[in-house]
Amino acid sequence: MPPRGSDPLSTGPGEPLVSRITSALRVVPDFPRPGIVFRDITTVIRDPQLFGEAVEALAAACADTAVDVVVGIEARGFVLGGALAYVLGAGFVPVRKQGRLPAAVESVAYSLEYGEAVLEMHIDAIQRGQKVVIADDLLATGGTASATIDLVERTGASVSRLLFLIELIGLGGSAQLHAHPHTSLITL
């Protein structure tokens, strides 16, 4: 893995990190519904070198950011978020689909690119004043990220940055991030 503070997007074995991640992505047409093109990151995270470099590159975006907690959005955001929390020396909090957390929760309903859903977070997961980074695999229309920002801000914590492996820029999701800074390793 490249050392922190280096430029992980332009270094590495051979070609740049962005090219290697893009090449490793599996593209699945018509999933989960006809007309949706699913970007599957399981082919990226199964490669320990590539996964590690991607996590380090995302963590580098937080070099000048105070981080108390990393929030990972179900489900692939758990994979990235947990690894990022470890690298950043922060706690990890999952945001889950409705009905999957065992204690008292705060909920938010939202629209996504192919339907509607409800996200939940434990009400005691984040404390007032904490600095939070939100992580997910993909930024599309921004509905899931926007809903997660809402959940975090209801606690009195502040969102320092959002981190995504992939951003589908044609869908305008960054406009839904309430002007919070974000980093996406790959833009398609």
Side-chain angles (χ1 to χ4, degrees):
M1 281 184 249
R4 291 218 50 210
S6 69
D7 183 2
L9 298 181
S10 62
T11 62
E15 65 182 306
L17 178 60
V18 169
S19 297
R20 291 185 287 126
I21 292 171
T22 302
S23 295
L25 285 173
R26 180 182 3 232
V27 177
V28 183
D30 298 320
F31 183 82
R33 295 194 176 148
I36 302 294
V37 178
F38 187 81
R39 299 322 197 272
D40 181 14
I41 70 162
T42 62
T43 52
V44 173
I45 62 177
R46 74 179 176 199
D47 178 326
Q49 179 72 28
L50 192 55
F51 179 44
E53 289 180 46
V55 168
E56 286 289 334
L58 288 169
C62 299
D64 297 327
T65 305
V67 182
D68 299 308
V69 175
V70 175
V71 168
I73 303 172
E74 186 166 340
R76 288 163 302 278
F78 293 174
V79 176
L80 292 172
L84 282 163
Y86 176 77
V87 169
L88 294 170
F92 176 75
V93 171
V95 166
R96 303 222 46 198
K97 294 173 185 167
Q98 187 173 31
R100 298 194 178 157
L101 290 172
V105 297
E106 181 75 35
S107 300
V108 62
Y110 70 103
S111 296
L112 50 121
E113 54 272 23
Y114 46 83
E116 294 192 3
V118 174
L119 288 177
E120 295 180 332
M121 182 177 72
H122 282 132
I123 59 172
D124 60 355
I126 299 173
Q127 306 306 308
R128 178 173 298 283
Q130 286 188 306
K131 307 293 185 214
V132 176
V133 167
I134 296 172
D136 204 3
D137 66 321
L138 180 87
L139 175 61
T141 62
T144 306
S146 178
T148 303
I149 291 168
D150 186 32
L151 282 174
V152 168
E153 291 180 340
R154 287 182 196 178
T155 69
S158 62
V159 175
S160 300
R161 177 171 292 279
L162 292 96
L163 302 172
F164 304 97
L165 191 61
I166 306 161
E167 180 175 349
L168 303 178
I169 55 175
L171 297 178
S174 62
Q176 304 303 313
L177 302 181
H178 311 278
H180 293 294
H182 78 287
T183 299
S184 302
L185 290 188
I186 299 170
T187 55
L188 302 171

